[in-house]
Amino acid sequence: MSAENTEIPAGGGSLADRISKPDDAKPADTSLTGKEDGASGLAQGSAELEEPDYNVEVKLSDLQADPNNPLFSIKTFEDLGLDERILKGLSTMNFRKPSKVQERALPLLMSNPPKNLVGQSQSGTGKTAAFVLNVLSRLDLSDEMRTQPQALILAPTRELARQIVGVIQIMGQFLDGLTIGTAVPADASARPSKMEAAVVVGTPGTVQDMIKKRVMNPSALKVLVLDEADNMLDQQGLGDQCIRAKAIIPRTVQIVLFSATFPAHVYRYAGKFAPNANEITLQHEELTVEGIKQLYMDCGSDEEKYQNLVQLYGLLTVGSSIIFVRTRHSAAEIERRMVAEGHTVASLTGGVEGSHRDAVIDSFRSGEAKVLITTNVLARGIDVSTVSLVVNYDIPEEYTAGQRTHTPDFQTYLHRIGRTGRFGRIGVAISFVSNRDEWEMLRKIQEHFQCTIDRIDTSDWDEVEEIIKKTIKNTRAQAGFNQGA
């Protein structure tokens, strides 16, 4: 395990083995640049984007907290008294005003003395920018401290960790002496190196391993952030690793948990992980992403699923698209067949070694690869502004002891379709249904989220193309969208 350099060498090893490139493809920019900000792409923070209407509920651990205090809810970033250099970084990202969640979260996050926070907010509402602002505002970047880890941000996947590093790089670009370390699983040939950075972003197991091997010193930590906290606290292995990591850091750290969803049992656990925390929540029924038109295709067999996917290829490349499948084997097989037929696709699963995964996701971000086939490893947190279409090739389902249950995984469905329609943009999610079990799972998803998932008639592909293109072009997908209009 080692600290990963925040710049990935161009070419990324065997990227050519993972992607078939069209003749006119541009070389991938595989370094972490300003394209990965918290809301979406560079200069596309919250400017000129329509934010969904929702209410933010605040529960204060300190009952004496004054809601009439001018900082109870802020309307501008300047209200926070931020360092001018941080404000300049925000301006570079085109964050002109706080989102609704940021209005309430930032005063609570940045209060002194620091208080723990549990924040539940849907994807695309600016929660990454919120916790990064808090982290940057608490750093001591003097000569003797800038190489001491002062903030630790944990994420469930290397892709999300690297994305967060990108946000910190852009937001903190004018802070002299800012050092950022990435602690993710290293390739087998890599050698451990000492972590000397003020901000460390990584995955729980790697961070725990680095602390245990004394290549990372946690004694100066001030802030611990868990992004996609429900996933990490609930997932076997990751939860234990988070607990062990917390046990070996100072008890005085400010603990911040952020996630789009908090199932009841995880919420109770979060209360123990971050005691006496302020809370920010959205009502559960408001978590279905509004701006996403949800559709389904009735497929007669698994082979018909594949043929429908091939028919969709022209639409998949209008912007960028993510195809979610159940297994690594399915991802590899679909990639193999599509590449053999001359289509440009990439696949990314947990079975791919680190540097290869980095190269694939960077190519997807840069637009070199427009269609990405993946498992649930990318269902959470990954933010690529050009994604306009998500395909659930397989309906997400719960597993018990490694066995399929034929029960829908509602939260994974929500996270998957949330990869499109980011921060008020338009998106389309299409689910493939090929048997009674899948149809029943889709029906339960509709009931759970109280939403309508419309059927697409695949007998006329010209009409299918017209429906999807028209939806993407709309300024905002409306609940009453008329397919025939």
Side-chain angles (χ1 to χ4, degrees):
M1 303 297 181
S2 69
E4 183 185 85
N5 193 308
T6 55
E7 298 250 329
I8 306 300
S14 61
L15 175 60
D17 297 336
R18 305 297 305 162
I19 300 178
S20 66
K21 302 176 183 178
D23 294 337
D24 59 350
K26 297 176 182 178
D29 176 7
T30 54
S31 64
L32 276 173
T33 68
K35 292 182 180 178
E36 295 106 296
D37 78 68
S40 50
L42 178 63
Q44 292 176 344
S46 54
E48 301 176 8
L49 293 174
E50 182 181 346
E51 191 179 4
D53 291 328
Y54 51 79
N55 294 319
V56 180
E57 295 183 2
V58 178
K59 179 181 176 183
L60 299 172
S61 66
D62 180 2
L63 297 180
Q64 302 302 312
D66 180 12
N68 297 312
N69 185 302
L71 284 188
F72 183 74
S73 178
I74 50 107
K75 296 299 179 186
T76 70
F77 290 112
E78 286 77 10
D79 290 343
L80 293 165
L82 289 166
D83 187 305
E84 287 294 327
R85 295 169 298 176
I86 297 176
L87 288 172
K88 192 175 177 183
L90 276 172
S91 179
T92 299
M93 298 167 73
N94 214 8
F95 276 94
R96 297 179 186 175
K97 64 177 183 178
S99 68
K100 289 183 178 68
V101 168
Q102 290 167 350
E103 285 179 6
R104 292 297 183 89
L106 285 167
L108 297 176
L109 271 172
M110 299 176 66
S111 64
N112 283 305
K115 291 276 293 181
N116 294 344
L117 179 78
V118 174
Q120 179 252 304
S121 167
Q122 69 198 59
S123 299
T125 53
K127 58 181 184 284
T128 305
F131 67 68
V132 169
L133 270 178
N134 177 56
V135 162
L136 292 179
S137 69
R138 297 193 182 279
L139 297 178
D140 176 357
L141 297 178
S142 59
D143 288 343
E144 60 271 20
M145 288 300 295
R146 66 179 55 172
T147 59
Q148 295 293 313
Q150 298 170 52
L152 174 60
I153 303 172
L154 297 178
T157 65
R158 69 183 296 121
E159 286 75 25
L160 184 53
R162 293 178 71 242
Q163 179 173 286
I164 293 168
V165 168
V167 179
I168 301 168
Q169 286 178 325
I170 301 306
M171 198 179 292
Q173 63 183 293
F174 301 106
L175 288 172
D176 296 333
L178 176 62
T179 49
I180 310 163
T182 310
V184 295
D187 292 348
S189 59
R191 299 181 67 180
S193 58
K194 190 171 183 182
M195 178 61 75
E196 296 183 333
V199 183
V200 179
V201 187
T203 50
T206 302
V207 168
Q208 179 194 333
D209 195 55
M210 292 181 74
I211 294 174
K212 193 187 302 180
K213 291 181 177 177
R214 303 186 180 233
V215 293
M216 176 178 164
N217 181 1
S219 62
L221 285 175
K222 303 175 184 178
V223 186
L224 170 65
V225 179
L226 266 64
D227 196 14
E228 301 298 339
D230 65 326
N231 181 245
M232 290 198 287
L233 295 178
D234 193 32
Q235 188 172 318
Q236 190 173 8
L238 277 181
D240 293 339
Q241 289 166 354
C242 289
I243 293 167
R244 292 192 194 103
K246 183 193 172 190
I248 49 183
I249 65 176
R251 291 191 173 188
T252 54
V253 297
Q254 177 190 29
I255 299 173
V256 180
L257 310 182
F258 261 121
S259 184
T261 54
F262 271 110
H265 66 290
V266 179
Y267 175 77
R268 288 192 295 271
Y269 187 67
K272 297 176 183 177
F273 194 89
N276 303 314
N278 291 320
E279 297 176 18
I280 293 181
T281 59
L282 293 179
Q283 293 181 3
H284 174 75
E285 59 268 21
E286 293 182 279
L287 285 175
T288 300
V289 185
E290 290 181 4
I292 299 175
K293 182 63 179 175
Q294 298 174 69
L295 307 166
Y296 78 92
M297 287 186 176
D298 203 347
C299 309
S301 63
D302 284 346
E303 179 57 27
E304 192 174 326
K305 273 188 182 183
Y306 176 76
Q307 295 304 329
N308 283 347
L309 185 65
V310 172
Q311 287 278 7
L312 276 174
Y313 182 80
L315 291 169
L316 295 173
T317 55
V318 169
S320 297
S321 304
I322 301 179
I323 302 162
F324 285 104
V325 297
R326 189 173 60 251
T327 66
R328 298 175 183 179
H329 174 75
S330 294
E333 182 61 15
I334 292 169
E335 180 196 23
R336 183 192 65 76
R337 289 184 67 177
M338 292 190 78
V339 168
E341 293 174 27
H343 300 299
T344 303
V345 298
S347 72
L348 191 153
T349 66
V352 179
E353 194 170 55
S355 60
H356 299 174
R357 283 171 66 168
D358 296 342
V360 171
I361 195 69
D362 288 339
S363 291
F364 186 59
R365 287 191 187 283
S366 73
E368 180 188 4
K370 289 181 175 292
V371 179
L372 185 64
I373 306 165
T374 187
T375 53
N376 287 334
V377 70
L378 282 193
R380 290 170 172 262
I382 295 303
D383 195 351
V384 178
S385 63
T386 54
V387 174
S388 56
L389 184 59
V390 165
V391 175
N392 287 308
Y393 192 89
D394 297 308
I395 305 288
E397 60 185 285
E398 299 276 5
Y399 278 73
T400 300
Q403 299 298 312
R404 296 172 60 185
T405 63
H406 305 294
T407 301
D409 184 338
F410 300 115
Q411 304 308 329
T412 295
Y413 177 84
L414 177 60
H415 282 287
R416 280 183 179 186
I417 70 170
R419 296 313 97 216
T420 184
R422 306 293 289 169
F423 221 123
R425 291 181 177 84
I426 295 310
V428 176
I430 303 176
S431 297
F432 287 0
V433 178
S434 66
N435 55 51
R436 183 176 292 275
D437 282 341
E438 290 177 338
W439 165 249
E440 187 63 21
M441 287 193 289
L442 194 69
R443 184 189 64 77
K444 289 178 180 176
I445 286 170
Q446 289 186 87
E447 285 182 358
H448 181 82
F449 291 113
Q450 295 294 295
C451 64
T452 299
I453 305 178
D454 296 318
R455 180 176 180 270
I456 301 178
D457 184 358
T458 55
S459 63
D460 186 344
W461 279 97
D462 288 337
E463 185 179 347
V464 170
E465 185 169 333
E466 185 179 343
I467 289 169
I468 295 173
K469 280 187 174 177
K470 190 178 291 185
T471 305
I472 294 173
K473 285 179 182 177
N474 274 3
T475 54
R476 184 144 190 90
Q478 301 297 327
F481 176 72
N482 185 349
Q483 292 189 16

